[in-house]
Amino acid sequence: MNRNQQTIQSPVSCTGVGVHSGKIVNLTIKPAPVNQGIRFVRTDLPGHPAVAAHFNNVVDTSLATVIGTEGCIVSTIEHLMAGFFGMSIDNATVEVDGYELPIMDGSAGPFTSLIKSAGTQAQDGPKCYFKVKAPISLSENGKSVTVYPSDEFRLTCSIDFNHPLIGKQTCDFIIDRETFQKEICSARTFGFLHEVEMMKRYGLGRGGSLENAVVIDGDRVLNEGGLRYSDEFVRHKALDCLGDFSLIGMPIMGHVVTQKSGHAFNHAFLEKFFTEKESWDTVTLSADSK
């Protein structure tokens, strides 16, 4: 685990389409000072308003994770946030000229490559963690999220779809930069063809295509080349979970176990996490920490 906060070394940019809006959007990531966190700036709006990437600013979780404040919203942030988390970036300013981030290939892979190309800069400020002392759990209608004490950040995700191509899948990782890049960041979002067609009829998913999602039709994966991992579906849920949990503001030293969770339930768990302050401490790692 890092003992110092980190930002990127130099600005980097990309351009892509918003999966729901279908609009082209330009995104630039810039270095940021110690203790700023991740901050989104809408360069297309008067005065360039900004919103911090924090769970208190989440305004919608129905189709993606959306943050907003005082009329400034930024949508579909979870894949970029997973990239920041997986690459241990604590502070960055993200400038975007639209309300929705580009979907890229439907994973965090392109954002991770972008962050990697920018380089990582250690900063003169200690990195703080939430160290879990006692289990915290939320469950409802077969969905659950629990975090257990651990000296590292471990994530176990399980999904259960009544579909022959998916079924029950579980992945379990101790998260570090290498594991994130190799095992998680390239897992793409997925959906069923009938759902995609319905969304388009209602004016959603205008930018969705086989270039940015795994699409299932009956018992077939429609994407040329098939899946990137045999269990790509649950790995993408793990990716989403990392993006959502990054909104807590500091990394967790604990073992997070999720069952059939999604953006809305992850957000509900973060709210509960902060009501159980007796179950965690905030810590910084000293120079002699192992």
Side-chain angles (χ1 to χ4, degrees):
M1 288 188 172
N2 296 315
R3 294 175 178 82
N4 289 80
Q5 294 179 41
Q6 298 188 112
T7 188
I8 60 171
Q9 289 183 352
S10 57
V12 284
S13 300
C14 66
T15 299
V17 64
V19 68
H20 295 299
S21 68
K23 295 180 178 179
I24 298 297
V25 61
N26 300 293
L27 180 149
T28 298
I29 307 172
K30 295 182 175 181
V34 167
N35 295 328
Q36 176 190 281
I38 308 300
R39 191 166 172 259
F40 288 86
V41 178
R42 287 282 303 274
T43 60
D44 60 317
L45 296 179
H48 295 180
V51 55
H54 194 268
F55 82 97
N56 282 334
N57 290 328
V58 171
V59 295
D60 187 24
T61 55
S62 55
L63 295 174
T65 298
V66 185
I67 56 173
T69 181
E70 298 179 356
C72 168
I73 68 165
V74 183
S75 177
T76 322
I77 67 169
E78 56 269 19
H79 299 168
L80 176 57
M81 291 303 299
F84 284 136
F85 185 94
M87 297 300 287
S88 299
I89 299 298
D90 304 285
N91 304 300
T93 297
V94 182
E95 296 182 349
V96 60
D97 64 357
Y99 74 87
E100 184 179 25
L101 267 57
I103 191 62
M104 308 308 282
D105 73 346
S107 77
F111 292 131
T112 302
S113 296
L114 196 66
I115 294 166
K116 193 173 180 179
S117 72
T120 301
Q121 178 66 54
Q123 298 179 285
D124 188 19
K127 188 161 182 170
C128 298
Y129 295 82
F130 290 109
K131 183 170 178 58
V132 177
K133 300 187 297 182
I136 303 171
S137 187
L138 180 67
S139 60
E140 182 179 301
N141 298 327
K143 301 177 181 180
S144 67
V145 179
T146 304
V147 60
Y148 300 95
S150 176
D151 290 331
E152 56 204 346
F153 181 65
R154 180 177 173 186
L155 176 62
T156 304
C157 282
S158 296
I159 60 174
D160 187 357
F161 282 77
N162 184 23
H163 191 280
L165 285 182
I166 307 177
K168 295 181 179 181
Q169 296 184 3
T170 297
C171 65
D172 180 33
F173 298 109
I174 295 172
I175 307 298
D176 56 26
R177 283 174 59 119
E178 181 179 356
T179 299
F180 176 76
Q181 292 178 77
K182 183 179 179 181
E183 306 290 352
I184 299 173
C185 80
S186 296
R188 296 162 293 177
T189 191
F190 61 92
F192 300 95
L193 182 61
H194 68 274
E195 294 176 343
V196 174
E197 292 172 339
M198 183 180 68
M199 288 175 66
K200 288 183 180 292
R201 284 200 297 270
Y202 284 93
L204 299 169
R206 293 173 178 173
S209 72
L210 294 175
E211 300 299 316
N212 52 43
V214 175
V215 180
I216 301 167
D217 181 22
D219 60 355
R220 297 183 303 141
V221 171
L222 298 184
N223 305 69
E224 185 176 351
L227 299 175
R228 293 176 176 174
Y229 311 93
S230 61
D231 59 350
E232 186 169 0
F233 306 106
V234 73
R235 291 185 192 223
H236 185 77
K237 287 296 186 180
L239 189 160
D240 278 347
C241 184
L242 293 179
D244 290 340
F245 268 69
S246 71
L247 298 176
I248 202 169
M250 298 190 306
I252 290 176
M253 295 173 67
H255 180 191
V256 174
V257 179
T258 76
Q259 175 72 36
K260 300 168 65 173
S261 189
H263 296 306
F265 204 77
N266 290 339
H267 178 64
F269 177 81
L270 296 186
E271 292 182 323
K272 181 170 186 183
F273 183 91
F274 270 92
T275 67
E276 300 198 11
K277 297 182 179 180
E278 71 282 356
S279 297
W280 47 264
D281 287 324
T282 57
V283 301
T284 57
L285 299 185
S286 62
D288 58 353
S289 297
K290 295 183 179 180

